[in-house]
Amino acid sequence: MEKIFQIREYIQKEEWINAKTFIEENDLILSKDREILEMAGLIYFKLYHFNTAETMFNELVKTNPNDISYYIKLAEIYIAKKFYTKAIESIKKSLEIDKNNLHANKLLYDVQQKTNASFQTLKSQLEKIIKIEASEEVYFELCNLLYKNEKYEECVKVCGEILRRYRRGEIVQKTREIYNNAKKRAEAIKVKEEKQKIITEKINNLEKQEIKLPEELKPLEKFTGMEDIKKQVLQIYNMIKFEEKRKQQLGVKNTLNQGNHFIITGNPGTGKTTVAKALAEIFANIGLIKENKLIEADRKTLVGQHIGATEKNTQAKIEEALGGVLFIDEAYTLYRADSPRDFGKEAIEVLLSEMENRRGEFVVIVAGYKKEMDIFFESNPGLKGRFNYNIHIPDYTDEELVKIAEKFAYEKYYLISDGGKKALLEKINQERSEENFSNARLVRRLVEEAIQNFASRMINNSIDALNKEELIMLDTVDFNIERSKSPEEEIESALKELNDLIGLKEVKEQVESVINRMKVHQQRKEAGLKCIEPSLHMMFIGNPGTGKTTVAKIIGRIYKALGVLRRGDRFEECTRTDFVGNHVGETAIKTQKLIKSALGGILFIDEAYSLYQGDKDNFGKEAIDVLIKEMEDHRDNLMVIMAGYEKEMEMLLSSNTGFKSRINTTINFYDYSNEELIEIFKKMCISSDMTIDKKGLEALEEYIDNLPNRRKEGFGNGREVRNIFEKVVQAQNNRIAKELSENKVLSKEDLMKIEIEDILSI
């Protein structure tokens, strides 16, 4: 009994190492005594000897299978080891003994959080815990969960319950803050939904009034939107019907013998082939072609490998398509500008000849990406004149793509949670800034990847322990997006980072003004008011090391949260060498490639003035010409920030009048004061576990003030301080090394401290 009392005393005093030593010295580790084994298991758990603790509690479970506390302790061990499947099994066994055990239910919630369970699963578990024992902490956890998942109305109700039950304390104070924020956001969502409902009803009514399709054109009704197609096909239909009536009324021969050929442009995944098939069916319905027949062709089936083969292949496809539709996908591949002897040109010439000679006998539909198709039609002067109708299929809207994703998921017996939909949209918007955005194809790939991630996440769990909802619900984490901050939280976080920067008072004021302008602009757009789209491009003026790059990245984060830049987190930093090539034609290619890499985000051009090096700098002038054009073409999808010294940047702007009309925001970054540079140094010390006293700081300020370039253009500011800091640290290291070689005993504080002699020695 004395040994048990001694172990208890160690445990009460939390002297875990002494307790472990006592057990091992007295050979109690193999004891069969239940109480000793239980205390020993606890001691080894507290000392992170999880395997030993696990062995002891497994032994206790064997001899005491109905003791719920041992299953709970095993679950705690498995959680500590991150063996979550085993933890769930132990918790499940404990709940079989007592389903209302508070500790077991709290552990289950802990595991669910760690394994990224769905919002609904976490919510249900918290509600169960509250039924067992309502506590201020659990209510607040539920309140936070609802707020983070933007369930603001439910959050308001739970907050109200907390404020009704409890009157004072830190949790009550935090609850009041969440309550007020949730209430505002719930009201804002209601207002927004009502506005959107009214707008949607108006649009739907307008669409119903604008286009009423006759029976023969019903295949078009399955397409969402695509009003251009509907209008143009309706125009052809009306023309044909009019000619029929005119012929009957006047008794004249039908004079309608024109070719009807179509261009369809659009990004991948917009349904160009599907639309072409629907058009073939419609053309057959209205008598434009003899039968509902669509013959597909591409470069591979038309272009031969030797002289004469291309003409033969193309003629064969045309013969096959007579009376129907010849559909040529990716038609732009028939023309290769860099290969004048390519047989693709022959296919184009044969096609043009037959479209003229066999007018009215078949319909040609060519399809491809818009930019490439524009180049394709420039390849032959007579080509564009043969096509009467040009239809562009726009990219799907976010709402349409989410519906497509839900359909894809449902086909595989999955659903997508609200958080999952937001994560999906974030992924979509990251890709949307890319050229040739792949629409439905992208969505299918994202859903398939999410299902794979879901399987990998769930394979570590016991399927028997999962409910039906957990087995079918794709959540945020499955789309490789962490539970993200709300736009308001992201803006607040970014502004805090901006305001925490040392100095830069004027910069902060200017940035805040720019952001306010953009906030109001976005609100006006949402309200349906007329808006002049502001230019996003900026110019940063100032010496190096004044925080230009940091501020640019913060602006990007805020613009992304506002929905202004889809990829505000994309930041491409570059200089003249990234733009300018070494031979004719290379500069334009490099510049366009650079712009493409930054689309949706920020292109930050450091020392931008170096792009212009006088009238004889042809390559630099070419880069500027291409840059200005791309800045205009992508004005709503790209922010270009040009940084440099004031005089040099003025020269750059005067080199091309296009710059000034595209850049309407200039932010000046003034040099830091001595006091601000000292604050930057102190911040570096803190982040590097270094200290410096008042005398050292005074010596440092004198050193900085006497730097030869302190008041000249090009002074490095923050960068200069970084260089000084590294020199001081090296001097400190040299001093300490010498002291150690003299067998001097140094404390932790000695190893951290920068002495005045370290400053004076640099």
Side-chain angles (χ1 to χ4, degrees):
M1 288 297 291
E2 288 181 9
K3 292 178 179 178
I4 291 176
F5 287 139
Q6 183 60 59
I7 297 171
R8 281 181 187 164
E9 187 177 342
Y10 282 134
I11 290 173
Q12 285 171 357
K13 293 179 179 179
E14 296 186 358
E15 295 178 0
W16 306 111
I17 294 174
N18 290 338
K20 173 178 175 287
T21 304
F22 183 83
I23 287 171
E24 291 173 352
E25 287 177 350
N26 288 277
D27 293 326
L28 298 177
I29 194 167
L30 299 175
S31 173
K32 297 296 181 182
D33 184 282
R34 176 177 173 178
E35 188 174 0
I36 291 176
L37 199 58
E38 187 178 321
M39 290 191 293
L42 174 64
I43 290 161
Y44 280 98
F45 175 74
K46 290 292 185 180
L47 291 171
Y48 304 103
H49 294 191
F50 299 129
N51 290 339
T52 306
E54 180 186 350
T55 302
M56 291 177 172
F57 279 105
N58 271 323
E59 190 62 35
L60 286 165
V61 163
K62 287 178 186 176
T63 55
N64 306 277
N66 293 319
D67 193 323
I68 192 172
S69 65
Y70 299 145
Y71 292 111
I72 289 173
K73 186 53 69 178
L74 274 172
E76 290 175 344
I77 292 168
Y78 291 135
I79 291 170
K81 292 172 72 176
K82 298 184 179 179
F83 291 178
Y84 298 127
T85 302
K86 284 190 173 184
I88 288 173
E89 288 172 1
S90 292
I91 295 168
K92 188 177 178 182
K93 286 175 182 175
S94 69
L95 292 175
E96 286 173 1
I97 298 169
D98 179 8
K99 67 178 182 180
N100 291 322
N101 183 278
L102 183 63
H103 193 175
N105 276 286
K106 284 186 175 180
L107 278 179
L108 180 57
Y109 177 73
D110 184 34
V111 174
Q112 288 171 342
Q113 276 191 310
K114 286 178 166 62
T115 54
N116 293 311
S118 69
F119 159 73
Q120 193 59 47
T121 300
L122 295 172
K123 178 173 174 262
S124 298
Q125 187 60 24
L126 283 175
E127 288 172 341
K128 185 177 179 181
I129 293 170
I130 287 170
K131 283 181 183 178
I132 296 168
E133 183 181 295
S135 71
E136 189 178 14
E137 291 77 11
V138 179
Y139 265 122
F140 186 69
E141 180 70 21
L142 178 58
C143 177
N144 259 321
L145 179 70
L146 292 167
Y147 187 83
K148 286 177 182 176
N149 285 274
E150 300 183 15
K151 306 293 182 185
Y152 298 124
E153 288 190 10
E154 290 180 73
C155 181
V156 168
K157 290 178 184 177
V158 175
C159 286
E161 186 65 20
I162 295 173
L163 297 174
R164 186 180 67 80
R165 286 170 173 263
Y166 311 101
R167 296 300 179 196
R168 56 181 62 87
E170 186 181 351
I171 288 179
V172 171
Q173 187 177 347
K174 288 180 178 178
T175 300
R176 285 198 182 98
E177 292 176 14
I178 293 176
Y179 174 82
N180 291 331
N181 289 334
K183 195 172 181 182
K184 286 177 185 175
R185 293 185 181 184
E187 289 169 356
I189 288 171
K190 272 188 179 179
V191 170
K192 192 173 179 179
E193 285 175 350
E194 285 299 320
K195 285 181 180 177
Q196 189 58 47
K197 188 178 177 182
I198 293 167
I199 291 168
T200 303
E201 285 176 359
K202 286 180 178 178
I203 290 170
N204 289 339
N205 289 336
L206 281 172
E207 287 177 353
K208 288 174 186 175
Q209 291 169 14
E210 282 178 5
I211 302 175
K212 293 180 180 178
L213 298 174
E215 190 63 34
E216 295 96 327
L217 307 188
K218 290 300 180 185
L220 289 177
E221 288 185 346
K222 65 182 177 183
F223 296 113
T224 303
M226 296 192 179
E227 299 306 314
D228 283 347
I229 295 175
K230 294 173 185 175
K231 287 176 183 177
Q232 293 196 43
V233 175
L234 184 60
Q235 188 179 28
I236 298 170
Y237 172 83
N238 289 336
M239 185 167 58
I240 291 171
K241 288 297 178 185
F242 174 74
E243 279 297 318
E244 286 178 357
K245 290 180 181 179
R246 181 171 177 270
K247 176 183 174 182
Q248 291 172 1
Q249 189 73 17
L250 300 176
V252 297
K253 186 178 179 180
N254 188 354
T255 57
L256 186 66
N257 187 31
Q258 68 177 60
N260 289 289
H261 305 296
F262 284 73
I263 305 165
I264 301 179
T265 57
N267 275 333
T270 48
K272 296 186 291 293
T273 303
T274 307
V275 168
K277 288 177 179 177
L279 290 176
E281 183 181 350
I282 289 166
F283 295 159
N285 290 344
I286 63 178
L288 194 63
I289 55 178
K290 292 180 179 178
E291 57 181 309
N292 179 12
K293 177 173 68 173
L294 182 128
I295 303 301
E296 295 188 49
D298 54 22
R299 178 183 174 86
K300 188 176 178 181
T301 57
L302 296 177
V303 178
Q305 300 300 313
H306 53 82
I307 296 172
T310 298
E311 181 179 3
K312 184 179 177 182
N313 292 346
T314 308
Q315 287 283 10
K317 277 294 177 185
I318 292 170
E319 288 293 333
E320 191 181 354
L322 288 177
V325 173
L326 177 63
F327 176 67
I328 307 175
D329 197 12
E330 296 183 349
Y332 54 84
T333 60
L334 293 175
Y335 172 66
R336 291 179 175 173
D338 57 347
S339 182
R341 295 184 180 181
D342 182 65
F343 290 138
K345 292 181 73 175
E346 186 181 353
I348 296 171
E349 288 165 3
V350 172
L351 182 65
L352 284 175
S353 174
E354 293 302 295
M355 286 168 70
E356 181 62 30
N357 296 337
R358 299 191 171 189
R359 183 188 288 260
E361 294 182 38
F362 70 114
V363 170
V364 177
I365 300 177
V366 291
Y369 311 144
K370 190 174 190 311
K371 186 181 286 187
E372 286 81 350
M373 290 298 284
D374 288 343
I375 296 170
F376 169 65
F377 281 107
E378 290 171 6
S379 69
N380 189 306
L383 191 56
K384 199 164 189 177
R386 295 288 193 279
F387 290 87
N388 326 55
Y389 303 99
N390 192 338
I391 297 167
H392 179 67
I393 305 175
D395 289 338
Y396 285 106
T397 64
D398 287 352
E399 185 181 353
E400 289 166 347
L401 287 173
V402 169
K403 286 179 181 177
I404 291 168
E406 287 183 295
K407 185 180 178 184
F408 286 157
Y410 189 74
E411 287 170 357
K412 296 180 181 290
Y413 300 100
Y414 284 94
L415 299 175
I416 305 176
S417 70
D418 290 343
K421 290 175 190 174
K422 287 180 181 175
L424 173 68
L425 276 176
E426 189 167 336
K427 282 281 189 181
I428 288 169
N429 284 324
Q430 287 174 2
E431 296 282 345
R432 198 184 277 279
S433 56
E434 305 290 343
E435 281 191 306
N436 301 332
F437 172 63
S438 58
N439 289 277
R441 290 183 202 170
L442 168 69
V443 168
R444 182 182 288 278
R445 175 172 64 80
L446 292 176
V447 170
E448 287 172 352
E449 287 175 0
I451 291 171
Q452 289 175 6
N453 294 335
F454 176 84
S456 299
R457 178 165 63 90
M458 287 299 173
I459 198 68
N460 295 321
N461 294 311
S462 171
I463 290 186
D464 294 338
L466 301 174
N467 59 39
K468 185 178 179 181
E469 183 185 347
E470 289 174 315
L471 286 169
I472 64 171
M473 192 66 72
L474 300 177
D475 206 356
T476 308
V477 68
D478 299 314
F479 290 93
N480 288 325
I481 296 283
E482 296 297 325
R483 293 186 184 276
S484 55
K485 298 174 184 175
S486 68
E488 293 82 1
E489 289 169 334
E490 182 60 42
I491 292 169
E492 186 179 338
S493 170
L495 285 174
K496 183 180 183 303
E497 185 181 337
L498 176 68
N499 290 320
D500 285 346
L501 294 175
I502 293 166
L504 304 177
K505 181 176 180 293
E506 295 84 357
V507 171
K508 291 170 185 176
E509 289 173 354
Q510 283 184 281
V511 170
E512 190 172 351
S513 177
V514 169
I515 290 164
N516 287 339
R517 181 182 69 194
M518 199 55 69
K519 279 182 180 178
V520 173
H521 174 75
Q522 294 296 90
Q523 288 291 319
R524 284 178 62 86
K525 280 177 72 174
E526 288 180 13
L529 298 172
K530 291 181 180 178
C531 297
I532 299 172
E533 290 296 331
S535 172
L536 303 179
H537 311 307
M538 297 183 183
M539 186 162 67
F540 285 4
I541 300 295
N543 276 334
T546 47
K548 295 188 290 294
T549 303
T550 302
V551 170
K553 289 178 179 178
I554 291 171
I555 291 173
R557 283 173 55 196
I558 294 171
Y559 273 30
K560 181 183 178 184
L562 288 170
V564 178
L565 286 174
R566 295 182 185 278
R567 295 293 306 274
D569 54 345
R570 174 180 281 181
F571 189 87
E572 291 289 338
E573 190 168 358
C574 56
T575 59
R576 174 186 167 92
T577 56
D578 298 299
F579 287 91
V580 176
N582 296 315
H583 54 78
V584 176
E586 187 183 4
T587 296
I589 293 169
K590 287 182 73 174
T591 304
Q592 287 168 344
K593 186 178 179 181
L594 198 56
I595 294 287
K596 186 177 179 181
S597 69
L599 286 178
I602 294 174
L603 182 69
F604 185 86
I605 310 173
D606 200 12
E607 298 179 351
Y609 52 82
S610 64
L611 286 175
Y612 177 69
Q613 297 184 353
D615 292 337
K616 293 182 180 180
D617 178 22
N618 293 327
F619 289 161
K621 288 168 73 177
E622 183 184 4
I624 290 169
D625 291 341
V626 175
L627 176 62
I628 288 173
K629 182 180 184 301
E630 295 292 334
M631 286 169 71
E632 183 61 30
D633 291 348
H634 299 287
R635 58 180 288 119
D636 59 346
N637 192 31
L638 174 71
M639 175 187 284
V640 174
I641 298 179
M642 299 194 297
Y645 307 131
E646 186 173 8
K647 290 179 183 177
E648 287 82 348
M649 291 301 284
E650 282 296 328
M651 289 175 65
L652 172 68
L653 294 186
S654 63
S655 72
N656 192 308
T657 54
F659 270 133
K660 287 188 177 179
S661 63
R662 286 162 179 80
I663 300 172
N664 59 9
T665 301
T666 300
I667 297 179
N668 291 290
F669 289 73
Y670 298 108
D671 286 347
Y672 289 109
S673 65
N674 285 351
E675 292 78 10
E676 289 166 347
L677 292 172
I678 294 298
E679 285 301 313
I680 293 171
F681 188 92
K682 285 163 68 177
K683 201 171 181 180
M684 290 177 182
C685 286
I686 292 168
S687 65
S688 302
D689 287 334
M690 309 289 278
T691 61
I692 184 169
D693 60 18
K694 187 177 179 183
K695 289 183 179 179
L697 290 174
E698 288 172 354
L700 177 66
E701 184 171 358
E702 185 177 351
Y703 176 85
I704 290 172
D705 196 54
N706 290 323
L707 286 169
N709 62 340
R710 175 67 182 97
R711 290 163 184 83
K712 293 180 180 179
E713 186 176 72
F715 176 65
N717 289 279
R719 294 180 198 173
E720 193 77 46
V721 173
R722 165 61 64 186
N723 292 335
I724 293 169
F725 178 76
E726 289 173 356
K727 289 178 184 177
V728 169
V729 170
Q730 186 60 56
Q732 187 235 32
N733 291 342
N734 294 337
R735 173 178 56 78
I736 289 175
K738 183 181 178 185
E739 290 172 352
L740 290 171
S741 69
E742 296 167 353
N743 297 320
K744 186 174 181 180
V745 178
L746 301 178
S747 66
K748 181 180 177 181
E749 288 71 23
D750 292 330
L751 293 170
M752 296 171 64
K753 189 174 181 182
I754 295 171
E755 299 282 1
I756 189 169
E757 64 184 272
D758 301 325
I759 304 292
L760 298 174
S761 67
I762 63 173

